[in-house]
Amino acid sequence: MKTQLNTNTSKTKVEKEPPLKGTLVSVLFLGFFLIFTWVSVYFLFLNRL
């Protein structure tokens, strides 16, 4: 019994990746919101000293 090796590696399918523009916008918006919240609370803390 002989073992066959699969040598058809050049025929691999390249799948299209989904567009990630919405993901980038969501992450940037979330990051901006977190930074804005922390800075606002920090200035509120400094104001009440």
Side-chain angles (χ1 to χ4, degrees):
M1 193 180 325
K2 289 186 178 179
T3 309
Q4 288 184 342
L5 295 175
N6 190 1
T7 58
N8 293 334
T9 57
S10 63
K11 293 183 178 180
T12 56
K13 289 183 180 179
V14 178
E15 295 183 13
K16 259 189 172 179
E17 294 185 7
L20 298 177
K21 187 182 288 187
T23 304
L24 177 64
V25 171
S26 300
V27 169
L28 289 177
F29 179 74
L30 183 62
F32 174 74
F33 177 74
L34 289 174
I35 291 171
F36 176 75
T37 304
W38 276 97
V39 169
S40 299
V41 170
Y42 179 68
F43 281 123
L44 182 67
F45 169 73
L46 288 180
N47 195 22
R48 292 186 179 198
L49 282 179

